Amino acid sequence: YLPSLRKYLFKKLFPDRDLANEVASGSIDLNEKFRSSDTLGNKIISYMTSLNMAVKYFSNEFLFQLVDEDAQMFIKLTGLGNAAGLLAMRNLFGMGKYLRDKEP
């Protein structure tokens, strides 16, 4: 039930994206085609940098749940800069071990 809902919402929010194939290809598309399109999904991505903390939090959480909490797909969807805050907060950014090793 939930995977089909995620797929449906993703197609409504990002009609020209096929995120599974983008992640499977492993290449990073530096083309601004997806980021510049005027879709509801891109508007939600723009709210990830809002000064209003509630808007920022819920837009991050919504998109992270939309990709089923997959960090790689989240980065591919939103970009590393937008994803960094949520991933660091959830200790998925890969810095946890580095920070623990540097403590005296």
Side-chain angles (χ1 to χ4, degrees), residues 21-98:
N21 285 339
E22 290 177 37
V23 170
S25 72
S27 65
I28 298 173
D29 184 13
L30 297 177
N31 189 349
E32 291 294 318
K33 178 177 96 173
F34 297 125
R35 298 208 190 335
S36 64
S37 65
D38 191 29
T39 64
L40 183 57
N42 285 343
K43 290 188 187 312
I44 295 172
I45 289 174
S46 72
Y47 292 145
M48 293 174 71
T49 57
S50 173
L51 294 177
N52 184 329
M53 293 305 286
V55 171
K56 180 187 291 192
Y57 175 79
F58 286 112
S59 60
N60 273 298
E61 287 295 325
F62 174 73
L63 292 173
F64 196 57
Q65 291 300 321
L66 188 66
V67 295
D68 200 19
E69 296 188 6
D70 184 340
Q72 185 179 7
M73 288 183 78
F74 186 62
I75 291 171
K76 189 72 169 175
L77 176 65
T78 64
L80 182 59
N82 288 329
L86 178 83
L87 296 177
M89 183 176 70
R90 290 181 173 233
N91 203 16
L92 297 172
F93 199 59
M95 294 296 291
K97 182 182 182 317
Y98 174 77

